[in-house]
Amino acid sequence: GWITATPPTPNGELHIGHMAGPYVAADVLRRFLVADGAEVRMTTGLDDHQSYVAVRGILDDRTGREVADTCGTRIRSAWSGAGVLFDRVVEPAALPGYADFVRAFFQKLHDTGAIVARTRPLPYCVPCDRWLYEAYVSGACPHCGAGSNGNACEVCGRPNDCGDLGDPRCVPCGAPAELRDQTRLYFPLAPFTEQLTRFWAQVAMPPHLRVLCERMAADGLPEIAVSHPGDWGVPVPVPGFEDQRIYVWFEMAPGYLLEYDPVGARPTEGPVQFFGFDNGYFHAVLFPAEFLAWAPDLPLPRAFLVNEFYQLEGKKFSTSRRHAVWALEGLATGGSDAVRYQVLRDRPTGRQTSFSPTDLVAARQHLHDRWNGWLADLCEQVVAETGGTAPDAQPGGPAWETLHGRLGRICAELREAYSVEAFDPRRAVSLLDEVVALATDYGHVHRHERDRPQGTPAYRAALAAQLAVASALAAWAAPVLPQGAARLSDRLGLPADRPVTVAALAPVPAGQVVGPVTEPIFGG
């Protein structure tokens, strides 16, 4: 399978909102499928040519290249620190032939008549002597009235033409913009309405995104400006437009093809795509239309896994406005397990959720008190009973049969929550907490076995049962908390890449040293 996570814009570091969106969730799916034995390729890129990079350079008195390089390094560090593993990350400046492939893709669509010239009003800043589009301009969205930058509204998700923004202003200097006619290249979407409608009927997507697609179609799919007058990005290959740059969101479609194969080989399968709702129109409308125009037989995505905004204390995380808790800060404070646990248990799926910096502290404390508390207590009991090695005993008894049945049902639900069709990492975290709670309760009840005159066999069977649950937890939690799960697997003498199946609920081999616990297993 092929999994993509939308390329981040390197105009700043990744923040916790990004981690709660595409990246950790995509890694959860990847780890689950790989453990199941599937061949998986997970890809992304760095969206260097976003105008937000150039604007950040203007505001910070740096070049766009300096901003992209510095932030790109920090973004990669955040992925690595959170255990988010990509098979390929396409960096436009580092991939030979990147610009050539994007220009050839654009040229083909122009040559076939899919891209046409239009002269329309575009905001212009007289003090800056600059045409304004995307990050350079702000105003009121023509569809919903919310504050918006050019080309697309984050709030309602719909595209705009920059010249139709209400009260447009220059972002770098704040001056009111004036409208001047400018000839740009456009990509009309209306000719693809029937094909897109058939595609939407087949692809898995949440209702919020489906509403956006269907309402855009009902209103008549617009023409999208795919070139802008500027000096940041890939130059337009069409004669007469050499001073313009290819719209970066148009560029992302061929960029995804390069993620699949750096020399532009056509994908043989449609990807599962992770992105935020604010990127929904691009992934569900613009990119499929581009692919249909470029190669009608190209496999289109098979599922859109979409997150809403993750807010920071009631307001949207924003890199450009510097309203954020940075991912590297969170990882330094809470560690990978706590960050992943928090952003998955509070993932904004189907609704916006809100983060507070104290949430990371609470997540780490929860893992320490509940998960590590149970494991440390279990290992202490094993040390007291056998000197620290797994007992030569099998789980047994009516209580074990009941617990085993419950855990089997939880495993089935976990597999469902990890699957593409019903992907729900919030549910997965809740189920893993339930595993720990059930094991903790079982352990407290059955520690009394040791006080019976002939209770040693029953007590050791109860210890073996809990170690079997620990074995299962190491496998079942690995997609969510890979670092802690790997530590637990290592302690139990088990491989770290076992699938999420009931077979993981097996006794630890007799004689395996499991205690004592001297440092945290999860959240360490």
Side-chain angles (χ1 to χ4, degrees), residues 188-209:
L189 296 176
F192 302 96
T193 302
E194 286 188 18
Q195 292 165 284
L196 287 172
T197 300
R198 287 196 297 271
F199 166 61
W200 298 333
Q202 297 170 353
V203 66
M205 72 167 97
H208 194 188
L209 181 57

Side-chain angles (χ1 to χ4, degrees), residues 187 189 196 224 226 247 249-251 253 280-291:
F187 180 47
L189 296 176
L196 287 172
I224 303 300
V226 293
Y247 178 36
W249 282 102
F250 182 96
E251 172 191 331
Y281 131 76
F282 301 113
H283 287 83
V285 185
L286 179 61
F287 300 162
E290 290 182 57
F291 293 138

Side-chain angles (χ1 to χ4, degrees), residues 28-117:
V28 169
L29 178 61
R30 181 191 66 81
R31 290 178 182 274
F32 169 70
L33 294 174
V34 168
D36 246 18
E39 289 191 16
V40 179
R41 134 179 23 198
M42 190 167 94
T43 68
T44 191
L46 291 175
D47 206 8
D48 285 5
H49 297 145
Q50 282 280 2
S51 55
Y52 292 90
V53 175
V55 169
R56 175 48 54 189
I58 293 170
L59 297 176
D60 292 352
D61 195 24
R62 292 189 290 167
T63 66
R65 187 71 266 153
E66 288 170 340
V67 172
D69 289 345
T70 301
C71 297
T73 299
R74 301 282 285 178
I75 286 170
R76 279 182 168 275
S77 295
W79 283 332
S80 176
V84 176
L85 305 179
F86 288 102
D87 297 292
R88 182 172 293 123
V89 178
V90 168
E91 299 183 55
L95 181 63
Y98 176 91
D100 291 340
F101 183 79
V102 171
R103 285 163 57 87
F105 186 102
F106 191 100
Q107 185 73 58
K108 180 176 179 179
L109 268 61
H110 180 266
D111 291 347
T112 59
I115 290 177
V116 295

Side-chain angles (χ1 to χ4, degrees), residues 276-403:
F277 177 77
D278 55 323
N279 295 338
Y281 131 76
F282 301 113
H283 287 83
V285 185
L286 179 61
F287 300 162
E290 290 182 57
F291 293 138
L292 288 166
W294 185 68
D297 59 344
L298 192 74
L300 295 178
R302 69 186 186 98
F304 294 139
L305 296 178
V306 184
N307 61 275
E308 301 287 340
F309 286 136
Y310 196 33
Q311 297 185 326
L312 173 57
E313 296 182 327
K315 295 182 179 179
K316 178 185 174 293
F317 274 90
S318 173
T319 301
S320 59
R321 292 185 288 276
R322 296 302 191 253
H323 179 66
V325 172
W326 306 113
L328 288 172
E329 289 178 12
L331 289 164
T333 301
S336 170
D337 283 346
V339 167
R340 289 175 70 111
Y341 180 91
Q342 174 58 34
V343 301
L344 291 170
R345 78 167 173 179
D346 202 26
R347 176 171 159 79
T349 303
R351 66 174 189 269
Q352 296 186 9
T353 54
S354 188
F355 173 81
S356 169
T358 58
D359 291 341
L360 270 186
V361 178
R364 190 172 190 182
Q365 193 64 44
H366 173 83
L367 291 172
H368 179 71
D369 292 345
R370 302 294 178 84
W371 293 44
N372 292 333
W374 164 58
L375 291 168
D377 181 64
L378 170 59
C379 290
E380 285 178 12
Q381 291 185 65
V382 174
V383 169
E385 181 65 22
T386 66
T389 60
D392 186 6
Q394 292 293 313
W400 168 244
E401 292 177 7
T402 299
L403 177 60

Side-chain angles (χ1 to χ4, degrees), residues 142-172:
H143 304 288
C144 72
S148 175
N149 286 111
N151 295 97
C153 175
E154 287 187 341
V155 176
C156 71
R158 296 187 66 153
N160 63 66
D161 198 41
C162 303
D164 54 0
L165 290 170
D167 189 27
R169 305 186 75 85
C170 174
V171 169

